[in-house]
Amino acid sequence: IGEAIQAIVSSAPFDQFVESATSKESKVFQKFIKAKGLEERCRLLEIDHKDRKAVARSMSQIEAMGAVYPEAEFSMSNVVAMDIETSSVELTDGRFLTYAIRWRFKNESVEVVARTIDGLHGGLMRRALEAWVAIQATLPKLVVKKKEVEPPLYVYAHNGSRFDAIEVLFSILAQDCLPDDVLKSNGKYITFTWKNLVFRDSCLITMSSLKSAGVCYGLETPKGSLPHKYLQNCESEQQVLDRLHGCVTWRQLEPYMDWFAETEKEEMQKRVVGRSWEEWRDQQPLRIEWQQNKDKPAFSFYEEMSSYLTKDVDVLYELVAKMGAQKAADYGADIRKKCPLGSIADHIWGHMLLKP
C-alpha cells in the first residue's frame, strides 16, 4: 500500500500537494528543529526558556555553557543479545537455513542447535521466539500515566537489520502473524515489534563489523575464523546436519577457508610487484594457523562452531552494554529509543541549537 501511495504522489503534479510559493497569500510549510540546547541550558540556570528577556540577559552565560544534554540511564535489564548461524542447500534460490541460535540475557547464555530437518526450516527460531516471549513476561510492569503497561524486551543482533531480522520475520509470518511498527529503509529492517519484543541492530549505531566495534570499546574479540562455507551450498538438508554434527580435519576444510577474513583493509588494497597470489595467501595469519593445525586429528565441527558463537554473543552483549552506557552518559541518549546512528546525531544536533 505504501509503495502504491508513493507511486501516485510521485506521478501527480507537484502543485497538487504543495501550495504555490509564488502566491503572496500562501505560506510554504516549514518544520523547525526544536532548540533543545536552549531548553536544557535554561533548565540548569532556572530560567524559563520562553521568557525572551530573561534569555537575552543570560545569553552570554548560556553560550559559555556549551552543549548540555539531559540525564539518561541505560540498563541491560530488558536487553537480549543474539546471533544466528545459517547454512544453505544448492538449487534453493539462496534460502538460508538456521542451524544454530545463541542468545544472552543478563548472565544466562542459551544455545539451540538443529538436529532435525524441521529445526533447519524454522524450528529453531520458533523456539527462540518462545524463549524471548517468556523472558519478556518476567519483566516488571511499567507505569505510564498511572496505568500499568507491558515492558518491551529489546533483542539486539549485529547486522540484524539485513540478516537475522529476515529469519525472525519468516518465523513470525509462518505463524500467521504480522509484526508491528516496522521501519524499513534501503532494504534494512531498522526495527520492528512482535509481542512486546523489539528487534534492533547494533550495527546501525557502530557502522562497523562486530570485531571492529569490540576493539573500539576495548572488548576482547574472538581470534581466528570459522569456515562457514563448509555448511553452504550443501547437497541436501541431511548433509548440513551430517557435517554440523560430524568430525572433520582442518586439512579437509582447506577449500572452505577464507584466508583473507582477518586481513586489514589497508593490506587488501596493496599490491606487491612480483608476489604471487599463493605467496600472498601464505602470509596471512589464518593460513599460517591452518598450516600449524592441518595434520591434527579430526575435531567436532559443532563444538568449534559453538565456541565461536558463544564468544560472538558475549562480545555483542558487552558491546551493547558499554555503548548504551556511553551514549547515555555523554549525550543523554538511550539507544533503546534512538536505534540508528542518525537518530542519535539528530538528538545531539538538537541539543546544540539555541534557536529553532
Side-chain angles (χ1 to χ4, degrees), residues 249-260:
T249 65
W250 284 108
R251 184 180 290 276
Q252 292 172 317
L253 289 174
E254 183 178 12
Y256 308 100
M257 299 293 293
D258 181 4
W259 306 118
F260 298 91

Side-chain angles (χ1 to χ4, degrees), residues 90-134:
E90 60 184 3
L91 305 178
T92 56
D93 297 326
R95 173 75 170 94
F96 56 77
L97 308 172
T98 300
Y99 66 82
I101 306 175
R102 178 173 282 275
W103 64 88
R104 178 177 167 182
F105 176 63
K106 297 182 179 178
N107 292 326
E108 183 180 7
S109 185
V110 179
E111 181 179 281
V112 290
V113 61
R115 299 189 182 277
T116 65
I117 293 177
D118 177 68
L120 293 173
H121 287 277
L124 290 190
M125 186 53 71
R126 286 195 300 271
R127 290 171 59 186
L129 286 171
E130 291 170 359
W132 300 336
V133 169

Side-chain angles (χ1 to χ4, degrees), residues 273-291:
V273 177
R275 182 179 63 180
S276 66
W277 181 87
E278 289 76 13
E279 291 172 334
W280 188 24
R281 175 202 62 189
D282 292 342
Q283 295 172 358
Q284 302 310 309
L286 288 181
R287 179 68 176 182
I288 296 172
E289 182 182 358
W290 177 84
Q291 292 280 13

